[in-house]
């Protein structure tokens, strides 16, 4: 019945595309390429030729038994080769999956290790900064203490001290000299010229 030839005719049109796609999908595997080109390709060609012969045999009203038997043998061979291709692909997929799992595990391990290393480095940096700040604080305290001691020595020395700028105006003066002169620091520093505190003869 001619209507039953429709799937066969559609298959003839699409089989080359399907075969090329199969070759493309396995392009990275020489073994699969060999199996497809050298085994599966010739078997498919033989099966198509047998189908053509079967149709002619039927059209001529001859016995189809021989063609059907030959077709079954070739078709079984095709199924065997396809199964072989599938087994290889499943094994490759299994290996790739294992590699992917190993890569993910390695990535996770590396990621965790990196985070841990960063945490250790940050902790070390914070410790160093803390130590530096503590050292700076101690240095500042010691410096202030030394400064206070020097200032105390300056202000309470048994002799008078003062400093003036280039114009002769007081920039600093100790408590001892202020007591002798009878002035406060606010009255002198930045306001009086040293000549202002001298007697006429001293000037």
């Amino acid at each position: 019945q001619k209507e039953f030839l429709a799937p066969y005719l559609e298959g003839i049109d699409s089989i080359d595309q399907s075969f090329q796609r199969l070759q493309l999908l396995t392009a990275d595997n020489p073994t699969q390429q060999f199996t497809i080109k050298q085994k599966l390709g010739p078997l498919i060609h033989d099966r198509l030729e047998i189908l053509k012969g079967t149709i002619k045999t039927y059209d001529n009203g001859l016995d189809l038994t021989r063609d059907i038997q030959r077709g079954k043998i070739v078709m079984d061979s095709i199924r065997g080769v396809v199964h072989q291709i599938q087994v290889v692909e499943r094994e490759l997929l299994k290996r790739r999956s294992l590699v992917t799992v190993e890569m993910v595990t390695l990535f996770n391990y590396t990621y965790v290790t990196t985070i841990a290393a960063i945490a250790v480095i940050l902790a070390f940096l914070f410790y160093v900064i803390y130590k530096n700040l503590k050292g700076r604080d101690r240095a500042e305290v010691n410096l202030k203490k030394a400064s206070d001691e020097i200032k105390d020595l300056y202000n309470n020395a048994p002799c008078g001290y003062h400093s003036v700028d280039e114009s002769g105006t007081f920039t600093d003066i100790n408590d001892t000299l202020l007591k002798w002169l009878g002035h406060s620091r606010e009255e002198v520093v930045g306001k009086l010229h040293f000549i202002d505190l001298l007697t006429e003869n001293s000037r």
Side-chain angles (χ1 to χ4, degrees):
Q1 299 177 27
K2 295 292 183 182
E3 61 267 25
F4 292 137
L5 293 178
Y8 162 72
L9 295 173
E10 290 173 6
I12 293 294
D13 291 336
S14 65
I15 195 165
D16 285 339
Q17 294 179 4
S18 298
F19 191 75
Q20 288 173 11
R21 176 142 180 82
L22 182 60
Q23 287 180 297
L24 184 64
L25 289 170
T26 57
D28 61 340
N29 191 322
T31 303
Q32 292 285 66
Q33 289 283 291
F34 177 82
T35 303
I36 291 165
K37 291 177 183 176
Q38 302 300 322
K39 294 183 180 179
L40 184 60
L43 285 170
I44 290 172
H45 178 268
D46 290 348
R47 184 68 181 109
L48 292 175
E49 289 299 313
I50 291 169
L51 281 169
K52 288 179 187 176
T54 304
I55 293 167
K56 286 180 182 178
T57 301
Y58 178 82
D59 287 341
N60 293 328
L62 300 174
D63 184 19
L64 298 175
T65 304
R66 182 171 172 275
D67 289 342
I68 291 171
Q69 288 175 344
R70 284 178 57 222
K72 183 179 184 309
I73 291 169
V74 174
M75 199 66 220
D76 287 344
S77 297
I78 288 173
R79 291 192 182 98
V81 173
V82 169
H83 176 71
Q84 180 185 343
I85 292 169
Q86 289 175 330
V87 168
V88 172
E89 286 301 313
R90 288 193 192 103
E91 184 62 29
L92 287 172
L93 181 62
K94 185 178 177 182
R95 288 180 196 168
R96 287 170 186 158
S97 298
L98 288 173
V99 169
T100 302
V101 169
E102 288 174 2
M103 288 177 67
V104 169
T105 304
L106 179 62
F107 172 79
N108 290 337
Y109 175 77
T110 305
Y111 178 77
V112 170
T113 304
T114 303
I115 293 297
I118 290 172
V120 170
I121 291 169
L122 286 175
F124 176 73
L125 288 175
F126 281 128
Y127 174 75
V128 170
I129 292 169
Y130 173 77
K131 290 288 286 182
N132 285 340
L133 290 175
K134 288 288 285 183
R136 184 179 295 178
D137 288 344
R138 282 196 299 271
E140 287 178 358
V141 168
N142 292 336
L143 187 61
K144 188 176 184 307
K145 185 178 177 183
S147 177
D148 290 343
E149 289 175 356
I150 291 169
K151 193 169 185 180
D152 183 65
L153 287 172
Y154 175 81
N155 282 327
N156 299 302
C159 52
Y161 288 114
H162 68 271
S163 302
V164 295
D165 60 18
E166 63 273 9
S167 69
T169 303
F170 285 97
T171 58
D172 201 3
I173 187 169
N174 74 342
D175 292 343
T176 303
L177 186 52
L178 286 170
K179 287 178 186 176
W180 291 348
L181 297 172
H183 289 284
S184 67
R185 184 170 276 98
E186 290 74 20
E187 294 173 331
V188 176
V189 176
K191 295 176 182 176
L192 296 181
H193 193 279
F194 80 93
I195 291 177
D196 297 335
L197 299 178
L198 298 179
T199 62
E200 282 297 326
N201 292 332
S202 296
R203 287 177 190 177

